[in-house]
Amino acid sequence: MASPVSHAILAVTIGLAFPRPRPRGRYCLAAALAVLPDIDAIGFLNGVEYGSLLGHRGLTHSLAFAAVIAGILITIPAIGNPRWGPRWLTWLYLFLACASHGLLDAMTDGGMGIAFFSPFSNTRYFLPWHPIMVGPINILGAFSPWGGRIALSEFKWVIGPCAAIIIAILAIRKKSCCGNDTTKEML
């Protein structure tokens, strides 16, 4: 799996590509949604088999899960209101934030793959290109030499490119603002 940091940064990057309004709370929610699919790791503690529907990288990593979670969230008045933009656009952003988790995990070099089409199919998939080193489920593994190599891999393939995209988006927005001091509105 990719780290929670990489998942969250990708979700924020996706959010910057959406039009205004962009309330700050939307980024925090999207970052949390991008990490949410790993809640299935709790199954390891309860004896759930890795390859089962409820196992790691199963149902919670699927597109259906992302769609349902986004659908539930836009029914909450504080999220599905016009301040966040049109409901369908808010749903799309939240869906992409949650679904991006499976996409990143499908780019890792380990595990069983992602059940993108669960619950309809438990077939696991990897993307044809998987340069990201798979991370440990145990948090202590992140502080080992292996964890350091994983961090470098994620910086190269996720965090660095996301930072470049964020900088480019903000530069374009600043230029299109004709020099007005609208930096607060840009985020």
Side-chain angles (χ1 to χ4, degrees):
M1 66 184 199
S3 73
V5 172
S6 289
H7 288 300
I9 288 173
L10 181 58
V12 171
T13 304
I14 292 167
L16 285 172
F18 278 76
R20 289 187 179 114
R22 287 182 296 278
R24 293 179 201 278
R26 183 165 94 167
Y27 298 125
C28 294
L29 177 60
L33 280 179
V35 176
L36 179 65
D38 276 339
I39 196 165
D40 62 11
I42 293 171
F44 285 128
L45 302 174
N46 296 312
V48 175
E49 291 185 34
Y50 186 102
S52 74
L53 177 71
L54 297 177
H56 187 52
R57 295 183 166 188
L59 181 64
T60 62
H61 285 59
S62 72
L63 298 173
F65 178 82
V68 168
I69 292 297
I72 290 169
L73 287 172
I74 64 164
T75 66
I76 298 171
I79 297 169
N81 70 35
R83 187 177 73 82
W84 282 48
R87 286 174 69 113
W88 72 271
L89 207 54
T90 300
W91 177 89
L92 180 61
Y93 174 43
L94 298 177
F95 166 76
L96 290 173
C98 192
S100 71
H101 185 107
L103 182 70
L104 273 188
D105 280 3
M107 292 173 64
T108 62
D109 64 358
M112 293 179 64
I114 307 302
F116 284 116
F117 305 108
S118 183
F120 311 106
S121 169
N122 198 33
T123 302
R124 306 296 179 101
Y125 299 91
F126 279 105
L127 294 179
W129 181 61
H130 37 86
I132 302 169
M133 290 179 66
V134 69
I137 290 180
N138 179 340
I139 189 70
L140 296 177
F143 300 103
S144 68
W146 177 40
R149 289 191 303 275
I150 292 165
L152 288 174
S153 170
E154 289 189 16
F155 185 82
K156 179 179 180 179
W157 298 108
V158 183
I159 298 168
C162 283
I165 291 167
I166 290 169
I167 290 167
I169 289 171
L170 294 177
I172 290 167
R173 287 189 183 148
K174 185 171 185 171
K175 184 173 174 112
S176 69
C177 290
C178 302
N180 293 338
D181 187 20
T182 56
T183 307
K184 290 181 182 177
E185 292 178 25
M186 293 167 78
L187 292 173

